Amino acid sequence: MKVLSKDIYANSGFVYKFTKGVESDPFHIYIDKPAMHKALGRVRGKKVLCVGSGNGDECAYIKSVGAVSVTGIDLSKEMVKQARSRHPGINFYVMSADNMKFPPKSFDILYSDLVLHYIDDLGKVFRDAFRVLKPGGRFIFSTTHPIYDMLERRHSNRGKHAEGLFGYIRDDKRYRIIGDYFTRRVIGGKWFNKYDVRFYYKPISGIIMPALRAGFLLNDIIEPKALASLKKVNPGRYKKLSRVPQALILNLQRP
Ligand SMILES: C[S@@+](CC[C@H](N)C(=O)[O-])C[C@H]1O[C@@H](n2cnc3c(N)ncnc32)[C@H](O)[C@@H]1O
């Protein structure tokens, strides 16, 4: 399996910055996490596995809303180390999403927040997820939205701001096409002005079809908009994220 995140999430400097970033990033606070919590629904009495649990905060949230047991797995030793020290009451294991070492039918819910775009072959992940879920169990995950990721990144003159473009522009009396929806590729950017973070771009069919082929039913597709409260905090970002989808959430079910 090709995993682009392996080196970056093994870097303790990055992991530290990442955790701080998640705590203050409007994308996490005003779009992804509230929508994921809503999609998660009632967890009282359920056994939940967090896939790509990061610093463990999402596992702690799921426990706080009534799950009977919560387990976290992450490919990065550094992330698992941090999760264990932040949440000593939860079990975290170093394990990959496409090679989960749990017996069949172990969990009621699998929850994976912004992880699957780091993995090229989603077929193996979905087959494994299907195996460890109980019949009737749900797999809820968020990923970066292909519509957002297909945008072509441009930098301002000062190189500070990235711009996204898709469509046609007229240039010297000719139309040029900008961006690419169809081609699977590696994309990414610099995070915290320092770290190169890369992930896999796939069109929407490249995300949904491997799940259906693994046997899942598709309960829901969620394309969350920003919470209204972002408007006060960051009006520009609010305007953009009210029009351009940055997260794609699927709610899958094992029949
Ligand atoms: C963007 S972070 C999200 C962390 C956490 N879910 C959250 O929302 O705060 C992505 C996480 O996925 C983990 N990851 C990437 N590839 C993985 C894989 N194949 N299996 C398990 N975890 C993986 C990374 O180590 C990292 O902790």
Side-chain angles (χ1 to χ4, degrees):
M1 178 196 56
K2 281 190 270 173
V3 186
L4 290 172
S5 61
K6 206 166 176 167
D7 294 338
I8 198 75
Y9 284 97
N11 179 319
S12 56
F14 174 80
V15 164
Y16 174 78
K17 285 258 187 198
F18 174 79
T19 290
K20 287 273 157 233
V22 169
E23 283 167 358
S24 58
D25 181 5
F27 174 50
H28 282 261
I29 301 170
Y30 296 95
I31 296 187
D32 172 70
K33 300 250 174 320
M36 279 293 280
H37 294 173
K38 198 168 166 200
L40 176 66
R42 284 173 61 84
V43 292
R44 196 153 289 285
K46 304 282 185 199
K47 285 182 76 178
V48 182
L49 176 68
C50 286
V51 178
S53 44
N55 64 19
D57 289 4
E58 286 299 278
C59 296
Y61 166 77
I62 294 168
K63 203 171 171 196
S64 76
V65 291
V68 69
S69 92
V70 183
T71 306
I73 61 164
D74 200 288
L75 188 64
S76 154
K77 274 189 204 154
E78 276 300 320
M79 276 294 183
V80 166
K81 200 167 120 193
Q82 196 183 89
R84 284 178 181 151
S85 79
R86 284 166 83 91
H87 306 289
I90 296 176
N91 285 325
F92 294 98
Y93 302 101
V94 177
M95 208 185 277
S96 183
D98 71 344
N99 190 13
M100 295 191 258
K101 305 203 183 308
F102 298 104
K105 303 178 187 169
S106 294
F107 301 100
D108 298 294
I109 297 175
L110 261 58
Y111 179 91
S112 183
D113 197 353
L114 296 174
V115 178
L116 298 197
H117 45 281
Y118 290 107
I119 302 171
D120 188 19
D121 177 6
L122 293 183
K124 179 89 175 65
V125 176
F126 290 127
R127 287 192 292 278
D128 233 18
F130 192 94
R131 184 184 64 79
V132 301
L133 270 174
K134 296 177 189 174
R138 292 184 301 130
F139 182 13
I140 297 135
F141 72 88
S142 67
T143 180
T144 54
H145 201 301
I147 299 287
Y148 187 90
D149 287 339
M150 75 179 175
L151 303 174
E152 190 175 295
R153 306 280 172 228
R154 290 283 173 89
H155 292 276
S156 72
N157 291 341
R158 283 173 295 145
K160 277 194 171 161
H161 305 287
E163 305 288 345
L165 298 167
F166 180 75
Y168 296 99
I169 54 166
R170 216 178 134 148
D171 199 4
D172 290 339
K173 298 189 186 143
R174 287 173 140 191
Y175 284 101
R176 272 191 314 121
I177 298 165
I178 297 176
D180 181 350
Y181 176 75
F182 288 110
T183 308
R184 294 172 75 116
R185 59 195 180 275
V186 173
I187 58 169
K190 246 194 211 329
W191 288 21
F192 317 118
N193 291 324
K194 183 171 177 188
Y195 300 97
D196 280 321
V197 179
R198 290 177 300 143
F199 44 91
Y200 291 99
Y201 170 84
K202 306 169 191 78
I204 288 172
S205 54
I207 299 167
I208 296 180
M209 288 315 294
L212 301 188
R213 280 188 210 109
F216 279 108
L217 303 173
L218 181 55
N219 280 343
D220 205 357
I221 300 181
I222 301 141
E223 297 173 294
K225 283 188 181 174
L227 295 183
S229 45
L230 178 61
K231 201 170 181 174
K232 263 197 179 157
V233 183
N234 189 334
R237 192 92 188 258
Y238 174 77
K239 191 173 171 193
K240 178 177 140 195
L241 296 178
S242 300
R243 298 173 69 171
V244 185
Q246 195 175 352
L248 174 68
I249 297 175
L250 298 192
N251 181 339
L252 306 171
Q253 185 152 18
R254 177 176 168 161

